[in-house]
Amino acid sequence: MTHRDNVGPLGSLKFVTLLVALIPEFLFLGAGVQLQDNGYDGLLVAINPQVSEDQNLIANIKEMITEASFYLFNATKRRVFFRNIKILIPATWKANNYSKVKQELYEKANVIVTDWYGVHGDDPYTLQYRGCGKEGKYIHFTSNFLVNDDLTAGYGPRGRVFVHEWAHLRWGVFDEYNDEKPFYINGQNQIKVTRCSSDITGIFVCEKGPCPQENCIISKLFKEGCMFIYNSTQNATASIMFMQSLSSVAEFCNARTHNQEAPNLQNQMCSLRSAWDVIADSADFNHSCPMNETEFPPPPVFSLIQAGDKVVCLVLDVSSKMAEADRLLRLQQAAEFYLMQIVEIHTFVGIISFNSKGEIRAQLHQINSDDDRKLLVSHLPMTVSAEAETSICSGLKKGFEVVEKLNGKAYGSVMILVTSGNDEHVGNCLLTVLSSGSTIHSIALGSSVVKNLEELSRHTGGLKFFVPDKSNSNSMIDAFSRISSGTGDIFQQRIQLESAGENVKPHHQLKNTVTLDNSVGNDTTFLVTWQTSGPPEIALFDPNGRKYYANNFTTNPALQTARLCVPGTAKPGLWTYTLNNTHHSLQALKVTVTSRASSSAMPPATVEAFVERDSTRFPQPVMIYANVRKGIYPILNATVTAAIEPEAADPVALDLFDNGAGADIIKNDGIYSRYFFSFAVNGRYSLKVHVSHSPSISGLAYSIPGSRAMYVPGYIANGSIQMNAPRKSAGRSEEEPKWGFSRVSSGGSFSVLGVPAGPHPDVFPPCKITDLHAVEVEEEVTLSWTAPGEDYDQGHANSYEIRISKSLQNIQDDFNNAILVNASKLNPQQAGTKEVFTFSPRLFTNGPDHQPDGETQESHRIYVAIRAIDRNSLKSAVSNIAQASLFIPPNSALILDRDNLILKGVLTAVGLIGIICLTIVVTHCILNRKKRADKKKNGTKLI
């Protein structure tokens, strides 16, 4: 074989990928928002199917983004604007000559519009979970915010609000206001308003009207009912991340205007950096230049798209490799479950099998009844071919041929590709796949699958899964359970409640419980699969003790499955299942439980598992996330465990946390996170997340944490106070949940390269501390933070290095030369534990230190940062920078001066009295001596 032959397939894929990058028509498919020639392309706005049809909503979305484009262009100093936007219209709305969806999915939208309200009603917000300078997940608007013009009085023009949220989403900056800390005391012992910039003016208002600021503070506590109302007319031009509603505000706070002292999220998350500094460091700005002064951005172009008929085609590998490790059997079991339970009614489904050639097993058939589902199951492949060669492109092309018979094109269709083959020519059909408008979900079986299979999914916005060759792994069914229609209608989608698998010894049992909460219960299905010819004994008990036996299950001996569909709405509570292995040898028994929402009035709890990136190289860790919510509300205090299965090693269980430390950036936002770095082998890893919640623990958060545009309560206009209407509250149910809940979700797969053979060297440092806080009490500072681990967020570190400086720039740019605080007596605790340390900065800051410009020595402001060190002297990244202002309150200073005067007076008086007394004594002695001398003299004369 020549060198050219050897690298041909890989080189072909690289060439095709490069070609895709050069063809604008394909650039944005599945790739999210892209910036080209100063314009953003590929922005997707999706309207939830539960939103009632309203053409005004579409018109206002267009108007909002058009206004935002020009506002953003000016705010970024002629750098970026919005060029091409797609609005995904729900299939529940009437057809209106909308274009057909290609690979756009509700779950992939950058902006979502729903009728779900938070505790603050119509607050726009952005879900951020990755920290400063990192992209968020999505922007959320309510439909009422977009059509109710009365709300603009409090939020400002919608285009400005969009730019505020876009900065959250795209550039990872944070809010510069703080509802919980609207005031603070600065380094000069002055009451200040939490704002950026400090040039924005207004007055303090108490219950009855304007009042001096002194009336808003009592013993250093701010008086309830006190607020700061801003003037409607301002000269300040910053900042968009503080109050975009002010007409004068047209830019982001920069290094000159940024208020570093304000206790807001921007300072906390970005180590006191200004929003503009963070934005200027983004990839968008590094790869673009401002437009010429004579150039102006064109208005945005909008495309209205709507999903048509739901079309799915199964493209299934039947090469001889599928005979290994029960791959075909597990595929049959998962595909049957998908066709009978998962795929939504009225969907058109076709089936293709392939080895070196593709074969049509079932033309498109619409599912309208259980008989249609059973018919499709009968067309699943039952045997493998003798041929080992696979041609994925042949299978996909047959799939396109089938789906194109419905409407002439494959736009909006879904291909579920399952293969175990090492087809190195998969890149040959990448352009065909992209131009098809179809989304490819790929499921790789075993360790020999071609490494570039996932490129098909990545370029089309599809999901990627890996199924290891382990008999007790339920990953195949988990993968099929995760694949939904992509419409965003959570009330119609299947929700997975349980996934368990175990190799059970003869005459032993697999026994467990699964919790059904009252938000689910319709179409509840228990699926049991086994490995050998004979089914296990099955016993299932509902919460009332009713027992279901094996004869209540629908059994398919050929596929070795048994399925029970609970009639009506399943009873909420604990369901207990027992599988008894009656076979004479060890066999794998597996259970899957799914259900649908019990009512359209109450969204069910959901979990979405995902990773930050789908490939990494040792020793770079993988960030694992689980988004646990009920509608838009985060669910707190859940037990979340990730199960990670490598290709050829034991699975790893990893607890995820929502504690605002380590990999978790925002506390109590419903996104549970953790670093994963226990890499056993190179290759693919499968991810699954289990979530459980106890009814005895408060779980539902009734507010949306993090980033949202400020609602201004009122303004000062022409010298009078003009208050806006209070924000509409969605209200909250006080009913305590009677049941907990169980959820399971596949997180797809990721791949790892560069894992060394044998024992790993210690290359994992402690994770960065992201929640350092400083509180000043008289002349001491108390620091608090969450302990990192020996390796990222596992174990405990060996020591801490704490440094302080009077200069922010010094500690930001030269941490190693800042003043070291003696923390030798501080022993790091277990990762995740709250650490507290108190010290007196005056012991360290009496020496000379460079002062920031414009800051006087009297402020005594100090900046603090910390890093952890492990046993092998590996150091974490430097933490976020905290600050503290040390001052002597004026009253205390007066008391001190008065006391000093009294003391001086007393000492002076005592001194004077002493001198007088001494003078009297000396005078008395002199007089007495003189008197005695005179007596002696007189006595001599008498003699």
Side-chain angles (χ1 to χ4, degrees):
M1 179 181 289
T2 66
H3 176 71
R4 179 178 178 180
D5 292 335
N6 188 38
V7 300
L10 182 58
S12 172
L13 183 61
K14 289 181 178 179
F15 171 75
V16 172
T17 303
L18 177 62
L19 187 60
V20 168
L22 296 176
I23 303 177
E25 180 184 353
F26 298 144
L27 181 63
F28 314 113
L29 298 176
V33 179
Q34 299 289 322
L35 180 66
Q36 272 208 325
D37 298 328
N38 300 96
Y40 288 114
D41 294 295
L43 176 65
L44 179 61
V45 181
I47 302 173
N48 190 276
Q50 298 297 313
V51 175
S52 300
E53 184 167 357
D54 185 352
Q55 291 299 315
N56 290 330
L57 185 59
I58 299 175
N60 286 2
I61 290 173
K62 291 180 177 180
E63 182 182 329
M64 173 179 68
I65 297 178
T66 300
E67 178 188 3
S69 184
F70 292 101
Y71 188 59
L72 181 68
F73 181 71
N74 291 322
T76 58
K77 308 184 191 318
R78 309 180 61 83
R79 183 82 67 157
V80 294
F81 62 92
F82 297 110
R83 181 186 288 117
N84 291 304
I85 297 93
K86 295 180 180 179
I87 303 176
L88 179 59
I89 308 298
T92 51
W93 290 21
K94 294 178 183 177
N96 192 16
N97 293 322
Y98 302 125
S99 300
K100 292 295 182 185
V101 161
K102 292 184 180 179
Q103 291 151 344
E104 299 85 6
L105 299 171
Y106 181 90
E107 287 83 358
K108 300 289 185 180
N110 313 105
V111 182
I112 60 174
V113 180
T114 78
D115 277 339
W116 293 336
Y117 299 94
V119 71
H120 295 308
D122 294 293
D123 274 354
Y125 75 89
T126 300
L127 186 59
Q128 293 181 268
Y129 65 98
R130 296 175 56 209
C132 185
K134 302 292 183 67
E135 286 192 51
K137 196 162 180 61
Y138 57 75
I139 297 171
H140 176 271
F141 293 110
T142 66
S143 56
N144 187 55
F145 171 83
L146 293 170
V147 298
N148 186 351
D149 292 338
D150 293 340
L151 293 174
T152 59
Y155 293 104
R158 296 188 188 97
R160 289 167 168 257
V161 173
F162 191 88
V163 171
H164 177 102
E165 300 304 331
W166 179 256
H168 286 314
L169 179 75
R170 184 70 178 182
W171 299 313
V173 295
F174 291 83
D175 290 322
E176 292 167 341
Y177 67 93
N178 189 336
D179 285 336
E180 296 180 358
K181 295 181 180 179
F183 310 119
Y184 67 97
I185 300 176
N186 71 358
Q188 284 74 41
N189 196 28
Q190 298 169 324
I191 300 172
K192 291 293 183 180
V193 179
T194 302
R195 57 189 163 179
C196 196
S197 69
S198 298
D199 296 332
I200 295 178
T201 60
I203 63 171
F204 283 91
V205 175
C206 301
E207 294 90 338
K208 297 181 180 179
C211 59
Q213 68 176 24
E214 291 77 10
N215 290 10
C216 284
I217 185 169
I218 302 173
S219 300
K220 296 187 181 180
L221 297 176
F222 295 105
K223 188 176 179 181
E224 187 176 354
C226 223
M227 65 176 64
F228 191 81
I229 302 297
Y230 297 90
N231 295 317
S232 60
T233 302
Q234 302 274 350
N235 294 321
T237 57
S239 165
I240 293 170
M241 301 315 295
F242 173 64
M243 191 179 289
Q244 73 288 330
S245 57
L246 290 173
S247 59
S248 67
V249 168
E251 59 187 30
F252 299 94
C253 262
N254 55 33
R256 180 182 59 83
T257 57
H258 181 59
N259 180 5
Q260 295 174 349
E261 288 187 286
N264 55 37
L265 264 182
Q266 174 63 25
N267 279 330
Q268 177 187 333
M269 302 302 298
C270 297
S271 289
L272 311 183
R273 295 175 66 199
S274 73
W276 183 250
D277 286 344
V278 176
I279 294 169
D281 279 346
S282 68
D284 287 351
F285 278 49
N286 289 332
H287 299 143
S288 65
C289 297
M291 292 174 62
N292 295 329
E293 291 293 332
T294 57
E295 293 181 286
F296 291 93
V301 175
F302 295 90
S303 303
L304 305 183
I305 57 177
Q306 187 179 41
D309 296 315
K310 288 176 280 193
V311 180
V312 176
C313 189
L314 306 185
V315 182
L316 311 177
D317 187 351
V318 292
S319 67
S320 60
K321 283 188 171 293
M322 291 296 292
E324 301 173 10
D326 287 331
R327 290 173 185 167
L328 181 63
L329 174 63
R330 290 188 289 153
L331 169 58
Q332 292 167 336
Q333 292 171 340
E336 183 210 29
F337 186 61
Y338 177 79
L339 293 172
M340 294 301 302
Q341 302 299 329
I342 303 296
V343 68
E344 296 172 17
I345 196 165
H346 306 313
T347 302
F348 288 89
V349 179
I351 301 175
I352 304 295
S353 63
F354 69 94
N355 43 33
S356 62
K357 296 179 180 179
E359 178 186 353
I360 300 173
R361 302 190 68 90
Q363 297 285 356
L364 286 185
H365 187 84
Q366 189 174 32
I367 296 177
N368 294 307
S369 66
D370 274 357
D371 288 338
D372 295 318
R373 295 179 184 274
K374 292 174 184 176
L375 178 64
L376 286 164
V377 170
S378 69
H379 290 291
L380 290 173
M382 298 304 294
T383 58
V384 299
S385 71
E387 190 176 9
E389 184 181 353
T390 57
S391 174
I392 292 171
C393 288
S394 296
L396 289 174
K397 287 177 181 177
K398 280 293 181 184
F400 298 144
E401 178 185 327
V402 165
V403 301
E404 286 171 358
K405 290 180 180 178
L406 184 64
N407 294 312
K409 291 187 179 295
Y411 289 177
S413 64
V414 170
M415 300 282 161
I416 302 178
L417 171 64
V418 184
T419 183
S420 62
N422 188 19
D423 178 10
E424 294 185 347
H425 300 280
V426 64
N428 293 347
C429 59
L430 184 56
L431 286 179
T432 302
V433 168
L434 290 174
S435 62
S436 72
S438 182
T439 298
I440 313 296
H441 301 306
S442 59
I443 304 177
L445 277 63
S447 57
S448 61
V449 182
V450 61
K451 301 303 179 185
N452 298 313
L453 175 69
E454 286 82 2
E455 290 294 310
L456 298 174
S457 297
R458 187 174 69 82
H459 283 294
T460 62
L463 300 172
K464 305 171 286 293
F465 303 95
F466 165 65
V467 179
D469 285 334
K470 297 170 185 174
S471 58
N472 62 342
S473 172
N474 212 21
S475 298
M476 181 82 79
I477 292 176
D478 296 334
F480 273 95
S481 298
R482 171 71 189 272
I483 297 171
S484 69
S485 61
T487 64
D489 191 352
I490 192 61
F491 297 99
Q492 296 299 320
Q493 295 172 9
R494 279 272 167 183
I495 296 172
Q496 191 172 2
L497 311 182
E498 172 74 321
S499 175
E502 193 174 304
N503 288 319
V504 181
K505 297 178 181 179
H507 308 295
H508 283 66
Q509 297 177 338
L510 170 60
K511 183 176 181 178
N512 210 343
T513 60
V514 57
T515 303
L516 265 73
D517 57 290
N518 62 345
S519 70
V520 295
N522 288 347
D523 297 329
T524 302
T525 302
F526 287 78
L527 173 70
V528 176
T529 64
W530 59 93
Q531 190 178 11
T532 56
S533 57
E537 287 182 354
I538 303 173
L540 175 65
F541 296 88
D542 74 8
N544 292 342
R546 178 184 173 182
K547 187 175 182 180
Y548 296 87
Y549 297 94
N551 57 4
N552 299 118
F553 284 68
T554 301
T555 302
N556 186 331
L559 301 185
Q560 295 165 211
T561 65
R563 180 168 37 87
L564 171 69
C565 297
V566 179
T569 301
K571 294 183 181 299
L574 286 178
W575 289 66
T576 303
Y577 61 84
T578 303
L579 308 182
N580 185 18
N581 181 14
T582 57
H583 202 62
H584 61 273
S585 62
L586 182 83
Q587 72 162 327
L589 301 178
K590 289 171 278 188
V591 177
T592 303
V593 184
T594 63
S595 188
R596 298 189 199 272
S598 59
S599 168
S600 60
M602 177 172 52
T606 59
V607 55
E608 177 196 8
F610 56 98
V611 293
E612 184 177 30
R613 62 173 67 92
D614 54 14
S615 63
T616 190
R617 177 172 287 276
F618 183 90
Q620 186 69 28
V622 172
M623 309 272 270
I624 296 177
Y625 301 100
N627 186 11
V628 186
R629 313 189 92 71
K630 187 177 178 69
I632 63 171
Y633 294 125
I635 295 177
L636 313 181
N637 303 316
T639 300
V640 183
T641 304
I644 302 115
E645 291 185 284
E647 287 186 1
D650 294 331
V652 177
L654 187 68
D655 291 331
L656 309 184
F657 300 110
D658 186 16
N659 59 358
D664 193 72
I665 300 300
I666 306 291
K667 184 177 182 179
N668 291 340
D669 64 349
I671 295 184
Y672 296 72
S673 319
R674 199 76 185 275
Y675 292 104
F676 174 69
F677 51 90
S678 300
F679 306 127
V681 293
N682 289 306
R684 294 180 174 94
Y685 288 68
S686 175
L687 169 65
K688 176 169 59 179
V689 167
H690 297 260
V691 179
S692 62
H693 197 278
S694 169
S696 62
I697 302 175
S698 175
L700 196 59
Y702 287 92
S703 63
I704 307 301
S707 310
R708 57 181 180 270
M710 179 196 287
Y711 182 87
V712 181
Y715 295 100
I716 305 297
N718 299 320
S720 62
I721 301 173
Q722 298 180 359
M723 300 302 292
N724 293 319
R727 280 185 296 183
K728 181 185 73 175
S729 174
R732 52 180 287 181
S733 172
E734 298 296 336
E735 180 183 355
E736 289 296 326
K738 298 178 181 177
W739 307 275
F741 67 84
S742 302
R743 296 291 186 271
V744 175
S745 177
S746 172
S749 65
F750 59 89
S751 59
V752 182
L753 298 175
V755 180
H760 299 170
D762 181 11
V763 292
F764 305 117
C767 64
K768 175 182 176 179
I769 295 167
T770 59
D771 61 346
L772 178 66
H773 291 275
V775 177
E776 61 273 8
V777 180
E778 296 181 350
E779 295 189 5
E780 291 187 326
V781 171
T782 297
L783 304 178
S784 63
W785 67 92
T786 303
E790 167 78 10
D791 297 332
Y792 291 105
D793 52 7
Q794 297 182 30
H796 62 85
N798 187 60
S799 62
Y800 291 117
E801 180 182 359
I802 302 173
R803 292 184 181 271
I804 62 175
S805 176
K806 296 178 186 176
S807 165
L808 172 62
Q809 185 174 356
N810 284 358
I811 202 165
Q812 280 179 332
D813 300 340
D814 195 9
F815 175 82
N816 291 330
N817 288 322
I819 300 170
L820 181 66
V821 176
N822 184 0
S824 58
K825 295 183 179 179
L826 179 59
N827 295 317
Q829 301 183 70
Q830 189 71 18
T833 307
K834 183 61 69 177
E835 298 271 30
V836 177
F837 177 70
T838 300
F839 69 100
S840 175
R842 293 188 182 278
L843 299 175
F844 305 95
T845 58
N846 287 332
D849 194 7
H850 174 72
Q851 291 292 305
D853 293 339
E855 192 169 303
T856 62
Q857 182 69 26
E858 285 72 23
S859 74
H860 298 291
R861 193 189 331 172
I862 63 165
Y863 301 94
V864 189
I866 183 174
R867 64 182 171 192
I869 305 170
D870 71 6
R871 287 172 295 182
N872 291 315
S873 298
L874 295 177
K875 297 180 179 180
S876 72
V878 177
S879 72
N880 65 296
I881 299 173
Q883 62 178 320
S885 297
L886 302 178
F887 60 88
I888 302 173
N891 293 339
S892 300
L894 291 173
I895 292 171
L896 182 61
D897 291 343
R898 183 186 64 190
D899 291 345
N900 285 338
L901 288 173
I902 293 172
L903 179 60
K904 289 178 180 178
V906 170
L907 291 175
T908 302
V910 169
L912 288 173
I913 293 170
I915 292 171
I916 292 170
C917 292
L918 181 61
T919 303
I920 292 172
V921 170
V922 171
T923 303
H924 181 71
C925 292
I926 293 172
L927 290 173
N928 284 340
R929 185 178 299 173
K930 184 178 180 183
K931 189 175 182 180
R932 286 195 298 270
D934 289 344
K935 284 182 178 182
K936 185 176 181 181
K937 182 178 180 182
N938 292 335
T940 304
K941 289 181 179 180
L942 289 173
I943 293 174

